[in-house]
Coordinates of all heavy atoms in Angstrom, one line a residue:
R52 N -12.2 21.3 -21.9 CA -13.2 20.4 -22.2 C -12.6 19.0 -22.7 O -13.1 18.0 -22.4 CB -14.2 20.9 -23.2 CG -15.1 22.0 -22.7 CD -16.2 22.4 -23.6 NE -17.1 23.5 -23.1 CZ -16.9 24.8 -23.3 NH1 -15.9 25.1 -24.1 NH2 -17.7 25.6 -22.8
A53 N -11.6 19.1 -23.5 CA -11.0 17.9 -24.0 C -10.3 17.1 -22.9 O -10.4 15.9 -22.8 CB -9.9 18.2 -25.1
N54 N -9.7 17.9 -22.0 CA -9.0 17.2 -20.8 C -10.1 16.6 -19.9 O -9.9 15.5 -19.4 CB -8.3 18.3 -20.0 CG -7.2 17.7 -19.2 OD1 -7.2 16.5 -18.9 ND2 -6.3 18.5 -18.7
L55 N -11.2 17.3 -19.7 CA -12.3 16.7 -18.9 C -12.8 15.4 -19.5 O -13.1 14.4 -18.9 CB -13.4 17.7 -18.8 CG -14.6 17.3 -18.0 CD1 -14.3 16.9 -16.6 CD2 -15.7 18.4 -18.0
A56 N -13.1 15.4 -20.9 CA -13.6 14.3 -21.5 C -12.7 13.1 -21.5 O -13.1 12.0 -21.2 CB -13.9 14.6 -23.0
S57 N -11.4 13.3 -21.7 CA -10.4 12.2 -21.7 C -10.2 11.7 -20.3 O -10.0 10.5 -20.1 CB -9.1 12.7 -22.3 OG -8.5 13.7 -21.5
S58 N -10.3 12.6 -19.3 CA -10.0 12.1 -17.9 C -11.2 11.4 -17.3 O -11.0 10.4 -16.5 CB -9.7 13.3 -17.0 OG -8.5 14.0 -17.5
T59 N -12.4 11.8 -17.7 CA -13.5 11.1 -17.1 C -14.0 9.9 -17.8 O -14.6 9.0 -17.2 CB -14.7 12.1 -17.0 OG1 -15.0 12.6 -18.4 CG2 -14.5 13.2 -16.1
S60 N -13.6 9.8 -19.1 CA -14.0 8.6 -19.8 C -13.3 7.3 -19.3 O -13.9 6.2 -19.4 CB -13.6 8.8 -21.3 OG -12.3 8.9 -21.5
G61 N -12.1 7.4 -18.8 CA -11.4 6.3 -18.3 C -12.0 5.7 -17.0 O -11.9 4.5 -16.8
D62 N -12.8 6.5 -16.3 CA -13.4 6.0 -15.1 C -14.5 5.1 -15.4 O -14.9 4.2 -14.6 CB -13.9 7.2 -14.2 CG -12.7 8.0 -13.6 OD1 -11.6 7.5 -13.8 OD2 -12.9 9.0 -13.1
D63 N -15.3 5.4 -16.5 CA -16.5 4.7 -16.8 C -16.2 3.5 -17.7 O -17.1 2.8 -18.1 CB -17.5 5.6 -17.5 CG -17.8 6.8 -16.6 OD1 -17.8 6.6 -15.3 OD2 -18.1 7.9 -17.1
S64 N -15.0 3.3 -18.1 CA -14.7 2.2 -19.0 C -14.8 0.9 -18.3 O -14.3 0.7 -17.2 CB -13.3 2.4 -19.6 OG -12.3 2.3 -18.6
E65 N -15.4 -0.1 -18.9 CA -15.5 -1.4 -18.3 C -14.9 -2.5 -19.2 O -14.8 -2.3 -20.4 CB -17.0 -1.7 -18.1 CG -17.7 -0.8 -17.1 CD -19.1 -1.1 -16.9 OE1 -19.6 -2.0 -17.6 OE2 -19.8 -0.5 -16.0
A66 N -14.6 -3.6 -18.6 CA -14.1 -4.7 -19.4 C -15.2 -5.3 -20.3 O -16.4 -5.1 -20.0 CB -13.5 -5.8 -18.5
E67 N -14.8 -5.9 -21.4 CA -15.8 -6.4 -22.3 C -16.6 -7.5 -21.6 O -16.1 -8.4 -20.9 CB -15.1 -7.0 -23.5 CG -16.0 -7.6 -24.6 CD -15.3 -8.2 -25.7 OE1 -14.0 -8.1 -25.8 OE2 -15.9 -8.8 -26.6
K68 N -17.9 -7.4 -21.7 CA -18.8 -8.3 -21.0 C -18.8 -9.7 -21.7 O -19.1 -9.7 -22.9 CB -20.2 -7.7 -21.0 CG -21.2 -8.6 -20.2 CD -21.0 -8.5 -18.7 CE -22.1 -9.3 -18.0 NZ -21.9 -9.2 -16.5
I69 N -18.6 -10.7 -21.0 CA -18.6 -12.1 -21.5 C -19.8 -12.8 -20.8 O -19.7 -13.1 -19.7 CB -17.3 -12.8 -21.3 CG1 -16.1 -12.1 -21.9 CG2 -17.3 -14.2 -21.8 CD1 -14.8 -12.6 -21.6
E70 N -20.8 -13.1 -21.6 CA -21.9 -13.8 -21.1 C -21.6 -15.3 -21.0 O -21.2 -15.9 -22.0 CB -23.2 -13.6 -21.9 CG -23.7 -12.1 -21.9 CD -24.3 -11.8 -20.5 OE1 -24.6 -12.7 -19.7 OE2 -24.5 -10.6 -20.2
V71 N -21.9 -15.9 -19.9 CA -21.7 -17.4 -19.8 C -22.8 -18.1 -20.5 O -24.0 -18.0 -20.0 CB -21.6 -17.8 -18.3 CG1 -21.4 -19.3 -18.2 CG2 -20.5 -17.1 -17.6
P72 N -22.5 -18.9 -21.5 CA -23.6 -19.6 -22.2 C -24.1 -20.8 -21.5 O -23.3 -21.7 -21.2 CB -23.0 -19.9 -23.6 CG -21.5 -20.0 -23.3 CD -21.2 -19.1 -22.2
R73 N -25.4 -20.9 -21.1 CA -25.9 -22.0 -20.4 C -25.7 -23.3 -21.2 O -25.6 -24.4 -20.6 CB -27.3 -21.8 -20.0 CG -27.5 -20.6 -19.0 CD -28.8 -20.8 -18.3 NE -29.0 -19.7 -17.3 CZ -30.0 -19.7 -16.4 NH1 -30.8 -20.7 -16.3 NH2 -30.1 -18.7 -15.6
G74 N -25.8 -23.2 -22.5 CA -25.7 -24.4 -23.3 C -24.4 -25.1 -23.3 O -24.2 -26.3 -23.6
A75 N -23.3 -24.3 -22.8 CA -22.0 -24.9 -22.7 C -21.7 -25.4 -21.4 O -20.5 -25.9 -21.1 CB -21.0 -23.8 -23.1
L76 N -22.7 -25.4 -20.5 CA -22.4 -25.9 -19.1 C -23.1 -27.2 -18.8 O -24.1 -27.6 -19.5 CB -23.0 -24.9 -18.1 CG -22.5 -23.4 -18.2 CD1 -23.3 -22.5 -17.2 CD2 -21.0 -23.3 -18.0
S77 N -22.5 -28.0 -17.9 CA -23.1 -29.2 -17.4 C -23.7 -28.9 -16.1 O -23.0 -28.4 -15.2 CB -22.0 -30.3 -17.3 OG -21.4 -30.6 -18.6
L78 N -24.9 -29.3 -15.9 CA -25.6 -29.0 -14.7 C -25.9 -30.3 -13.9 O -26.1 -31.4 -14.5 CB -27.0 -28.3 -15.0 CG -26.9 -27.1 -15.9 CD1 -28.4 -26.6 -16.1 CD2 -26.0 -26.0 -15.4
G79 N -25.8 -30.2 -12.6 CA -26.0 -31.4 -11.7 C -26.5 -31.0 -10.4 O -26.4 -29.8 -9.9
F80 N -27.2 -31.9 -9.7 CA -27.7 -31.7 -8.4 C -27.3 -32.8 -7.5 O -27.2 -34.0 -7.9 CB -29.2 -31.5 -8.4 CG -29.7 -30.4 -9.3 CD1 -30.1 -30.6 -10.6 CD2 -29.8 -29.1 -8.8 CE1 -30.5 -29.6 -11.4 CE2 -30.2 -28.1 -9.5 CZ -30.5 -28.3 -10.9

Side-chain angles (χ1 to χ4, degrees):
R52 288 191 179 95
N54 201 342
L55 176 62
S57 62
S58 299
T59 55
S60 61
D62 293 350
D63 300 329
S64 61
E65 296 181 355
E67 182 181 355
K68 182 71 173 180
I69 300 175
E70 293 289 344
V71 177
R73 294 200 179 192
L76 304 176
S77 298
L78 311 179
F80 299 96

